[in-house]
Amino acid sequence: MPGQIVFIAHVVTEVLNEGFLPAARALGLDPVIVTDLAAEHRRHFAEEDLQAYPDLILSCDVFNPLAVIETLQEAGIAPAAVFSHSDHLQTTTALVAQYFGLPGKDWQVCYRAKNKAAMRAYLAAAGAEPFWYRLVTAQDQLDAALADCPWPCVVKPREGVASLDVSLVRSAQELRDCCSRLWARQPGQPLLIEEYLEGPLCTLETLGDGERFEVLGGFRVELSEPPHFIEQAAHWGLELDERELQQMAGTLRDFGIGFGSCHSEFVLTERGPRLIEINYRTIGDGREFLLAETLGLPLFERVLQLHLGESLPALDLSDTRLLIHYVLATESGRLEQVPGPRRERWGQGFVDFQPLRRAGDRLELSHSNKDYLGVIRAAGDSLAELQERTAQLLAGLSWEVRA
């Protein structure tokens, strides 16, 4: 379907520039980027050698859907589709798509998926299994929450991403100290305190066209030791029985998830899968590119086709084993040396490495996914072989950090 597709973006991202932009061109679409960081996007496209470039970059406050609508109207753009990969911009994107009469997500579902307190409130009202949580923005609310807070518990920003500022706390004093640190940096920041769910973490990756809703699969995730929750590695394959899988998918459907791409996270507790969070967009941190290359599914094109109003076709996915491993910074400082990208192939498999930081970058440890230095991805027939080859490749990588 020819026409213009509008990408609503904040920061410059690899997934837009090397995933969705080339996909839009492959579908015969003319891409337009609307962003509040137009200078950064223009600089990136001027400096990088990429497969695809936007026709136009427009500047406006992308967190205000009315500003986006007015910007498009003033530019004379009647889009064929409106899309964003950003966690922060799904509600804006849904409202803009609705204004132009285009296929899109329900903005209310986008809002309550992003706002973790709204998600918990909606699940409670819908009769989900009881789950303790409190939203606090000030000391008096924290004092009230301490009256019945279960220990240990988890503190997280209400609209946080990438495990940033998420901590496990085991006592009232630790909870007070954690909230005080976060409020010293951002006074009045809404913080969600919730009960800690013990068990393995897994993801569920889904696609939907508003009527059909399909599960692509999911990753089993390896986390860092508490008090932080940094994703260190993951392998593709849930290894769940059908009842557990249907329970997870049913939770998402009941929440209102059903259009486009969705990445959600569950903890596999002794009582069954429990929802941790919903990211109403495609999975990130390099796993989207791994899935696009190995599943036998043109992932980026398929997601955009849903936003063009096309039905979700029957999916015939490969059963390849996948592994991803993240290299984490362990100290703050200036990166002096960074290993280059590399790929090794064998038979039907491969293992590769991509640096995520450049020499000269300044590192400030955040104890989150923002600390990734690079990513190793592997695909093949045997998980054990992938683990062995990943370890071998990792042993040959080195970084130099100067304080």
Side-chain angles (χ1 to χ4, degrees):
M1 178 189 299
Q4 291 176 303
I5 181 169
V6 171
F7 291 104
I8 303 177
H10 180 47
V11 298
V12 175
T13 63
E14 181 185 26
V15 65
L16 172 58
N17 297 335
E18 299 185 26
F20 287 111
L21 268 177
R25 289 295 190 194
L27 294 172
L29 295 163
D30 300 320
V32 174
I33 294 178
V34 179
T35 177
D36 58 337
L37 299 173
E40 285 85 345
H41 283 264
R42 292 189 182 107
R43 187 181 310 117
H44 178 81
F45 287 110
E47 295 174 351
E48 299 294 329
D49 182 17
L50 302 170
Q51 297 180 48
Y53 295 82
D55 283 359
L56 190 62
I57 298 176
L58 300 174
S59 178
C60 80
D61 176 8
V62 289
F63 294 89
N64 179 353
L66 298 182
V68 177
I69 292 168
E70 290 166 1
T71 298
L72 294 176
Q73 288 180 326
E74 290 166 5
I77 293 173
V82 177
F83 179 81
S84 180
H85 181 71
S86 169
D87 274 312
H88 302 284
L89 298 174
Q90 294 302 317
T91 304
T92 290
T93 303
L95 286 165
V96 174
Q98 181 179 336
Y99 176 82
F100 284 103
L102 300 171
K105 299 167 184 173
D106 183 325
W107 74 265
Q108 293 174 308
V109 178
C110 293
Y111 172 80
R112 61 178 180 253
K114 178 59 183 166
N115 183 312
K116 295 175 176 62
M119 182 191 83
R120 290 297 175 198
Y122 183 86
L123 291 171
E129 186 173 352
F131 184 87
W132 189 96
Y133 74 96
R134 297 290 186 272
L135 180 67
V136 299
T137 60
Q139 190 62 50
D140 60 334
Q141 294 173 331
L142 176 57
D143 292 339
L146 285 168
D148 62 344
C149 182
W151 307 106
C153 65
V154 177
V155 183
K156 60 179 70 173
R158 184 182 62 188
E159 283 106 3
V161 295
S163 300
L164 192 63
D165 294 329
V166 181
S167 296
L168 182 73
V169 296
R170 300 183 181 277
S171 68
Q173 189 58 52
E174 284 189 13
L175 178 56
R176 290 183 187 278
D177 291 345
C178 180
C179 293
S180 294
R181 283 195 303 271
L182 295 175
W183 285 334
R185 203 185 327 150
Q186 187 176 335
Q189 180 183 27
L191 301 175
L192 193 66
I193 307 169
E194 59 184 33
E195 68 175 272
Y196 173 62
L197 296 175
E198 191 164 357
L201 179 69
C202 71
T203 78
L204 198 68
E205 314 306 326
T206 61
L207 288 177
D209 60 13
E211 296 186 4
R212 275 190 56 233
F213 178 78
E214 293 288 337
V215 174
L216 302 181
F219 285 92
R220 288 286 190 122
V221 180
E222 187 179 308
L223 294 173
S224 62
E225 290 297 316
H228 307 295
F229 295 86
I230 311 170
E231 296 183 6
Q232 296 180 315
H235 70 267
W236 182 252
L238 292 174
E239 299 151 6
L240 301 175
D241 62 39
E242 187 63 23
R243 179 188 60 82
E244 291 174 308
L245 190 60
Q246 289 304 316
Q247 181 181 342
M248 293 162 67
T251 297
L252 296 179
R253 282 193 294 264
D254 292 345
F255 191 83
I257 302 296
F259 184 86
S261 185
C262 185
H263 160 64
S264 54
E265 298 179 1
F266 291 80
V267 170
L268 304 175
T269 72
E270 292 182 350
R271 300 200 304 267
R274 303 288 300 277
L275 180 65
I276 290 294
E277 69 176 33
I278 298 171
N279 301 282
Y280 207 175
R281 42 84 176 160
T282 308
I283 192 171
D285 291 324
R287 283 179 273 182
E288 68 279 62
F289 291 101
L290 183 59
L291 294 180
E293 183 174 355
T294 59
L295 280 189
L297 171 74
L299 181 63
F300 300 114
E301 289 87 345
R302 186 69 71 230
V303 171
L304 295 185
Q305 286 170 328
L306 296 173
H307 286 262
L308 289 165
E310 298 185 25
S311 298
L312 181 65
L315 303 177
D316 183 19
L317 305 178
S318 73
D319 58 358
T320 304
R321 303 308 300 261
L322 306 174
L323 177 67
I324 195 157
H325 179 91
Y326 300 104
V327 183
L328 285 159
T330 57
E331 59 181 323
S332 298
R334 186 180 185 275
L335 267 177
E336 298 292 328
Q337 176 185 311
V338 174
R342 60 201 68 183
R343 171 174 282 218
E344 302 170 10
R345 287 191 173 275
W346 70 91
Q348 299 299 312
F350 72 83
V351 58
D352 66 19
F353 167 75
Q354 287 292 330
L356 300 177
R357 295 296 195 108
R358 299 179 179 183
D361 284 356
R362 179 73 190 176
L363 301 175
E364 296 292 342
L365 285 188
S366 65
H367 304 292
S368 75
N369 298 9
K370 304 295 184 182
D371 295 336
Y372 292 159
L373 294 175
V375 57
I376 298 173
R377 312 176 314 151
D381 298 327
S382 164
L383 181 59
E385 181 180 21
L386 298 184
Q387 291 169 331
E388 180 180 351
R389 289 181 179 269
T390 295
Q392 291 172 352
L393 192 154
L394 181 61
L397 302 175
S398 64
W399 286 259
E400 181 183 338
V401 180
R402 181 175 297 176

